[in-house]
Amino acid sequence: MGALEEYLEWSNLPVDIIRLIRLFANETEMLRKAFLKNQTYCSGRNASGEQQAAMDTFADKVLVDLFSNSGLVRELASEEQDSLIRIPDSSGTIALVMDPLDGSSLIQTNLAVGSIIGLYADGDVLQKGKNLTAALYSLYGPMTVLVVSGGKGVRSFAFDPDVGDFVVLCQDIMIPEGKQYGTGGLRNEWTPEHTSVIRYCNDMGFKIRYSGSFVADFHQILVYGGFYGYPSLIGRPEGKLRLLFEANPLGFIVDQAGGRISDGRRNLLLVTPTSIHQKTPIYVGSTGVIEKIEEIYAEKRDA
Ligand code: AFP
């Protein structure tokens, strides 16, 4: 039995969630190969007004078809779809949220990008991140990496082309207290709170690491510690990242790895979404540094 199968068996996850994780894992090598023929950007824009890459629409079509034809998913929300997809004749109860391809502006530069998926065993997609049953992401870098949490820690796998299956990369990821950070947003749009956060990082000797692919930057923080931030900006208080598709699944994973996700004031996993494309400011990373960021925000508010 392969390492991913062993993990899924050990996880105690509901059988339909296991089936969906398996279905997605089986698609990753095909998605990876598709980058070669999908290097262009389209004239179309997604629901957040961002330019779509050919690979965005390709990955979206593949995964929407895969999940909606699985017979396991009742409701599906994708970052690349304007509206919620309901599958009333499905025999399953799962609500699935996904960013089929995160970091698409990096496709032409061959930097790492990936797919993010969150799975709720039942109910709808507008649930708190803490209610997720499982979350996972793939990362297409020098290796195809799969990071999975079913609520019992976090395990990472790498695809071994010689074996044709995933092997364990890290058995039980715990995020360390590191000193790396990456921040989105133009400097002249930073709020006083965010400016103070960055000043703190500079004073403490943090190193900058930011690629423009949330899933890749997140993975780096998960391994080395520190934080990734896309904050509230002047003129854009909601920031840029999406609560359902990006913040919640990766927030669930970091929480399982002993880290935290916050908007600077509160734990994002406790926020009930009101719309599928809702955006939120994000700070995600090591517990100590996220607590410090919340402290800085509270000091500024009380000043
Ligand atoms: P998509 O590729 O899914 O549209 O996501 C891109 C993204 O939301 C996130 O992955 C990046 O961290 C962020 O945007 C980069 O934004 P900037 O280009 O403003 O730095």
Side-chain angles (χ1 to χ4, degrees):
M1 189 192 299
L4 181 62
E5 274 309 313
E6 257 173 46
Y7 168 78
L8 293 173
E9 202 156 280
W10 165 85
S11 70
N12 235 353
L13 282 164
V15 62
D16 286 358
I17 298 260
I18 289 181
R19 284 192 188 133
L20 287 168
I21 295 174
R22 199 184 282 138
L23 277 178
F24 173 71
N26 289 341
E27 257 352 78
T28 53
E29 277 314 281
M30 188 278 286
L31 286 170
R32 182 186 184 87
K33 285 185 187 145
F35 284 98
L36 196 56
K37 293 205 170 116
N38 288 281
Q39 283 289 304
T40 55
Y41 290 83
C42 329
S43 52
R45 295 197 172 263
N46 67 16
S48 301
E50 287 157 2
Q51 191 185 26
Q52 286 179 309
M55 196 58 205
D56 274 324
T57 44
F58 179 82
D60 186 56
K61 170 140 186 32
V62 166
L63 296 181
V64 167
D65 285 354
L66 180 77
F67 294 134
S68 48
N69 294 331
S70 67
L72 307 170
V73 176
R74 175 83 54 85
E75 224 178 75
L76 191 165
S78 164
E79 191 189 294
E80 299 305 328
Q81 300 278 332
D82 291 348
S83 338
L84 184 65
I85 299 172
R86 288 208 172 87
I87 309 141
D89 53 351
S90 165
S91 51
T93 59
I94 292 166
L96 186 149
V97 290
M98 67 169 176
D99 182 349
L101 197 82
D102 184 58
S104 40
S105 70
L106 299 185
I107 288 168
Q108 280 188 342
T109 62
N110 199 31
L111 288 174
V113 298
S115 312
I116 306 173
I117 296 170
L119 299 157
Y120 296 96
D122 46 40
D124 58 32
V125 296
L126 293 180
Q127 297 191 53
K128 293 175 185 163
K130 87 166 178 51
N131 293 353
L132 279 161
T133 310
L136 61 152
Y137 61 86
S138 58
L139 191 62
Y140 310 108
M143 301 182 289
T144 299
V145 166
L146 193 66
V147 178
V148 189
S149 176
K152 281 165 66 180
V154 182
R155 191 164 301 177
S156 64
F157 303 88
F159 188 76
D160 180 346
D162 290 340
V163 180
D165 203 351
F166 285 91
V167 294
V168 173
L169 201 56
C170 182
Q171 184 83 7
D172 190 13
I173 302 183
M174 290 304 287
I175 183 169
E177 275 302 325
K179 284 193 167 181
Q180 293 205 10
Y181 79 99
T183 176
L186 299 178
R187 187 180 289 253
N188 61 9
E189 293 174 344
W190 288 357
T191 60
E193 288 87 346
H194 191 63
T195 305
S196 296
V197 167
I198 302 306
R199 191 176 304 127
Y200 167 81
C201 293
N202 291 335
D203 291 349
M204 299 303 287
F206 278 50
K207 207 158 54 169
I208 302 179
R209 288 282 187 269
Y210 185 79
S211 73
S213 162
F214 178 43
V215 66
D217 289 333
F218 172 87
H219 189 70
Q220 175 163 224
I221 294 299
L222 193 66
V223 174
Y224 291 134
F227 78 94
Y228 168 98
Y230 210 115
S232 183
L233 296 167
I234 293 167
R236 238 195 316 168
E238 72 288 3
K240 180 180 181 191
L241 272 58
R242 273 77 23 161
L243 180 61
L244 257 71
F245 311 122
E246 291 162 316
N248 279 343
L250 299 194
F252 179 83
I253 288 174
V254 83
D255 183 72
Q256 285 293 318
R260 285 216 36 210
I261 188 161
S262 170
D263 63 1
R265 301 177 198 283
R266 58 189 173 159
N267 181 349
L268 278 180
L269 292 177
L270 303 180
V271 175
T272 305
T274 53
S275 65
I276 59 173
H277 291 284
Q278 185 171 337
K279 292 181 182 172
T280 178
I282 286 180
Y283 291 99
V284 61
S286 315
T287 294
V289 71
I290 301 298
E291 279 173 357
K292 181 67 198 174
I293 291 168
E294 287 181 337
E295 223 176 280
I296 292 171
Y297 267 71
E299 275 164 20
K300 285 275 166 198
R301 187 190 51 216
D302 299 340

